[in-house]
């Protein structure tokens, strides 16, 4: 098996602002694993706030020696090896894991969801994310997002009620809310969640800073809406730790180090009766399509990362009638469209 990789910058269609930061590009590293003429594609998305960079991802990938494995289908062993090379580096690890899974599907000539015996009809609707902006820009973005049956609204920076009122002045669709740790007082957070419930909000993601565990457990217990852990949730052992602290988890391949562990997270969260959301970073269709293969298993999806960029390198992932649509291509279901 031969692993190759190269840095690439994703251009965002709109400046993206959430509580904490604002940006126009997202750096990624694109990977390929070749085995006997078959090529699997992978990707590491590296938004700066997560702590990885193109430099750290490339340095990690240089340490990966896939020559020690003759069979790419030995995914348990390869996963254990990749994870043991160095701590952290989840996105870099995900870029190897995604390419391996794509390769595995292609070798079997089956889409991953089919290999995993998932029903392609059961993909959830996906939200489209609206970043924080002034009311006029927010309204314009929502008009552009009219094909989506649910919107994800970023709050936690500035006047949240003004933001929601601007949204509600132009659309009736259900809303997911993501605070990105932007609130700090649990009592104010609870008042706000009651207000949001009356505005047809479905759940609230990461309302408090991830360190405020006791406050968060209290808030979840009293909240009229489900609460979802995103920044607080990274790897598989976190599922058990966060059970009772949040109503559910937001699984993202760039946090879980890829599909291998994401599947285990979903199984464990289900067993604990936790809600499950699948999300993504700003990514090409490669990373998002990989996550989409798991989407028949989840309650909610926020898989719009490829729609936020203007220089995608892959095609194959479509949103039809607001739903993530899985095609019959083998592996993660994408084709390369650009040699950039
Ligand atoms: Mg989030």
């Amino acid at each position: 098996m031969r692993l190759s990789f190269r840095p690439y910058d994703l251009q965002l269609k709109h400046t993206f602002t959430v509580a904490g930061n604002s940006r126009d590009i997202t750096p990624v590293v694109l990977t390929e694993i070749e085995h006997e003429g078959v090529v699997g594609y992978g990707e590491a998305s590296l938004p700066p706030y997560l702590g990885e960079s193109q430099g750290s991802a490339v340095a990690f990938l240089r340490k990966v020696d896939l020559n020690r494995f003759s069979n790419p289908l030995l995914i348990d062993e390869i996963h254990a090896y990749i994870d043991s090379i160095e701590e952290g580096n989840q996105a870099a690890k995900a870029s190897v894991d995604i390419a391996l899974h794509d390769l595995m599907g292609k070798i079997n000539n089956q889409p991953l969801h089919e290999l995993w015996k998932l029903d392609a009809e059961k993909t959830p609707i996906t939200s489209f994310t609206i970043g924080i902006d002034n009311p006029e820009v927010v309204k314009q973005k929502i008009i552009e997002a009219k094909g989506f049956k649910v919107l994800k609204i970023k709050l936690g920076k500035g006047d949240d009620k003004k933001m929601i009122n601007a949204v509600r002045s132009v659309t009736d669709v259900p809303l997911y809310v993501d605070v990105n740790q932007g609130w700090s007082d649990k009592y104010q957070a609870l008042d706000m969640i009651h207000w949001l419930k009356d505005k047809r909000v479905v759940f609230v993601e990461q309302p408090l800073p991830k360190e405020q565990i006791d406050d968060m457990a209290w808030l979840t217990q009293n909240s009229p809406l489900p609460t979802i852990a995103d920044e607080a949730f990274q790897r598989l052992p976190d599922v058990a730790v966060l059970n009772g602290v949040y109503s559910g988890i937001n699984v993202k391949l760039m946090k879980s180090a890829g599909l291998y562990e994401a599947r285990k997270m979903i199984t464990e969260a289900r067993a604990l009766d936790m809600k499950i959301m699948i999300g993504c970073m700003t990514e090409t269709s490669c990373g998002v399509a990989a996550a989409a293969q798991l989407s028949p298993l989840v309650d909610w999806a926020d898989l719009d990362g490829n729609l936020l960029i203007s220089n995608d390198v892959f095609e194959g992932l479509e949103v039809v009638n607001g739903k993530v649509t899985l095609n019959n291509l083998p592996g993660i279901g994408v084709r390369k469209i650009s040699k950039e």
Side-chain angles (χ1 to χ4, degrees):
M1 277 186 282
R2 200 178 64 86
L3 170 69
S4 56
F5 43 88
R6 67 190 173 98
Y8 184 70
D9 286 336
L10 305 181
Q11 308 291 334
L12 306 192
K13 291 178 184 167
H14 294 283
T15 300
F16 194 62
T17 301
V18 301
N21 74 89
S22 194
R23 63 179 199 271
D24 294 301
I25 68 153
T26 298
V28 304
V29 171
L30 300 172
T31 56
E32 295 188 4
I33 298 177
E34 190 268 339
H35 177 72
E36 295 178 352
V38 185
V39 178
Y41 299 119
E43 173 176 20
S45 175
L46 307 155
Y49 71 97
L50 288 177
E52 286 179 74
S53 65
Q54 287 170 331
S56 70
V58 165
F60 180 86
L61 293 169
R62 283 201 178 115
K63 293 178 192 160
V64 175
D65 174 21
L66 293 181
N67 286 324
R68 59 174 69 202
F69 302 98
S70 55
N71 183 351
L73 303 181
L74 297 174
I75 207 105
D76 300 83
E77 283 173 40
I78 303 175
H79 173 83
Y81 160 67
I82 299 292
D83 213 21
S84 72
I85 293 174
E86 204 176 293
E87 292 264 294
N89 295 288
Q90 279 97 314
K93 289 172 183 175
S95 74
V96 180
D97 168 281
I98 294 169
L100 264 178
H101 279 85
D102 191 32
L103 185 62
M104 180 173 84
K106 285 169 173 166
I107 290 170
N108 284 289
N109 198 27
Q110 267 186 309
L112 287 173
H113 65 267
E114 214 173 277
L115 270 179
W116 293 333
K117 302 188 170 35
L118 303 181
D119 185 351
E121 297 299 311
K122 287 202 175 140
T123 55
I125 54 170
T126 179
S127 54
F128 184 77
T129 302
I130 307 290
I132 297 169
D133 223 314
N134 70 58
E136 287 319 304
V137 177
V138 166
K139 287 184 204 173
Q140 188 52 44
K141 284 184 186 168
I142 289 172
I143 290 163
E144 288 169 26
K146 64 177 183 301
F148 290 85
K149 294 183 174 354
V150 60
L151 296 173
K152 178 161 156 177
I153 309 299
K154 295 284 192 178
L155 296 184
K157 189 184 183 209
D159 191 336
D160 292 337
K161 289 187 178 175
K162 195 168 153 191
M163 178 85 182
I164 294 292
N165 286 331
V167 173
R168 276 291 170 244
S169 73
V170 285
T171 183
D172 295 327
V173 298
L175 305 176
Y176 304 158
V177 155
D178 188 356
V179 187
N180 290 109
Q181 317 184 75
W183 300 339
S184 54
D185 181 277
K186 66 180 180 181
Y187 300 105
Q188 283 175 9
L190 185 60
D191 284 349
M192 193 62 194
I193 294 174
H194 277 285
W195 186 85
L196 291 171
K197 183 168 188 272
D198 291 340
K199 300 286 177 185
R200 285 190 69 211
V201 167
V202 178
F203 63 76
V204 177
E205 194 178 322
Q206 202 63 57
L208 299 176
K210 61 182 177 185
E211 299 80 14
Q212 286 178 228
I213 295 163
D214 293 344
D215 289 347
M216 198 54 234
W218 177 89
L219 187 59
T220 297
Q221 208 161 40
N222 291 284
S223 172
L225 295 178
T227 60
I228 302 293
D230 185 6
E231 285 86 340
F233 175 68
Q234 303 282 326
R235 299 293 303 261
L236 183 60
D238 298 334
V239 179
V241 173
L242 297 180
N243 182 29
V245 180
Y246 295 82
S247 321
I249 51 170
N250 186 348
V251 176
K252 293 177 179 171
L253 302 185
M254 297 304 144
K255 299 190 298 181
S256 69
L259 289 159
Y260 181 89
E261 198 165 300
R263 290 178 72 205
K264 292 189 187 299
M265 288 169 169
I266 292 171
T267 305
E268 185 166 338
R270 273 283 170 250
L272 295 168
D273 207 19
M274 293 173 83
K275 291 286 185 189
I276 304 163
M277 168 179 187
I278 195 152
C280 59
M281 309 296 170
T282 312
E283 294 164 14
T284 70
S285 292
C286 174
V288 185
Q293 297 293 325
L294 288 172
S295 68
L297 292 169
V298 308
D299 300 297
W300 302 303
D302 178 33
L303 294 175
D304 63 350
N306 59 317
L307 304 173
L308 305 176
I309 62 169
S310 58
N311 59 339
D312 204 342
V313 189
F314 298 92
E315 64 180 5
L317 182 66
E318 274 189 83
V319 175
V320 179
N321 290 327
K323 264 183 75 164
V324 178
T325 306
L326 296 172
N327 60 37
N328 291 323
L329 292 174
I332 59 173
V334 295
R335 272 191 215 100
K336 210 169 176 181
I337 51 172
S338 155
K339 290 210 183 306
E340 259 190 278

